[in-house]
Amino acid sequence: QYNTFPSHDRTDIEIDFSKRQSELLNLPIIFKGVDSFELRIWSFGFWTRTDLFILRYSQNKWIAANYIYYDTENIIDSLHLITRQVANDTALKIQHYLTQDSVLRLPSQFAIPNFRDNTADGETYYIEVATKEFYKQWSYHNPQYFDDPDNRQFKRLLNFLTLNFRIHYPY
């Protein structure tokens, strides 16, 4: 049985973003599940540059892909793509971490009770995790400026992923 986890965390805006950007890059839509496992980390700011990191299990190996692209009015101006095979132990560590209940129960920023984002410009992150059984998405805007438990846990999640894959984010 496939479902989202938890179901109240997903919004039409988040799904629209993921769907639109995936179509722009000619990537498969993952919010209805995938054959094995896929992680996507979207990062974008006030300007038109978007970074996308993907970790997926495909054809019996783990592949990581970094997309850095600029788009204007839904047209890609330039795109840089770097792919590499990932060691099984590293990928399985990421998969295990992301499928723990404590991580999966982390809400998106908009679902945090009484939370107010009082920042303007900055960086927004969408993280998507899909398996055969579920789909989970988080979105956070400028999590580095907030010290509540959920924003701190999201920062730990980002730090865990950046340390394991040497992904660079501006904060």
Side-chain angles (χ1 to χ4, degrees), residues 17-141:
F17 169 82
S18 174
K19 185 178 177 185
R20 192 172 54 252
Q21 293 298 305
S22 295
E23 288 171 351
L24 185 65
L25 294 170
N26 200 27
L27 296 170
I29 304 299
I30 65 169
F31 64 83
K32 293 186 178 180
V34 296
D35 288 340
S36 182
F37 178 86
E38 186 158 333
L39 161 69
R40 292 184 182 178
I41 306 170
W42 305 86
S43 169
F44 61 93
F46 181 69
W47 306 105
T48 58
R49 176 181 160 181
T50 303
D51 295 344
L52 168 61
F53 173 81
I54 297 176
L55 172 66
R56 80 169 51 103
Y57 189 72
S58 177
Q59 299 175 353
N60 296 322
K61 59 186 170 192
W62 289 94
I63 303 294
N66 290 86
Y67 292 76
I68 301 169
Y69 63 99
Y70 297 85
D71 68 278
T72 310
E73 299 175 19
N74 291 325
I75 298 171
I76 293 180
D77 183 355
S78 62
L79 169 70
H80 303 278
L81 172 60
I82 301 167
T83 61
R84 65 187 184 281
Q85 191 168 344
V86 176
N88 283 345
D89 59 337
T90 300
L92 292 171
K93 181 168 76 169
I94 299 295
Q95 181 183 23
H96 176 72
Y97 181 83
L98 291 171
T99 56
Q100 294 177 52
D101 282 349
S102 61
V103 174
L104 290 174
R105 294 194 192 289
L106 176 67
S108 276
Q109 197 177 50
F110 72 87
I112 299 171
N114 302 316
F115 178 79
R116 288 181 85 136
D117 181 358
N118 56 4
T119 63
D121 298 343
E123 201 75 12
T124 300
Y125 304 92
Y126 284 95
I127 296 181
E128 299 177 278
V129 175
T131 69
K132 290 178 185 180
E133 292 83 33
F134 71 87
Y135 171 81
K136 172 70 179 183
Q137 183 180 61
W138 300 271
S139 66
Y140 277 73
H141 178 247

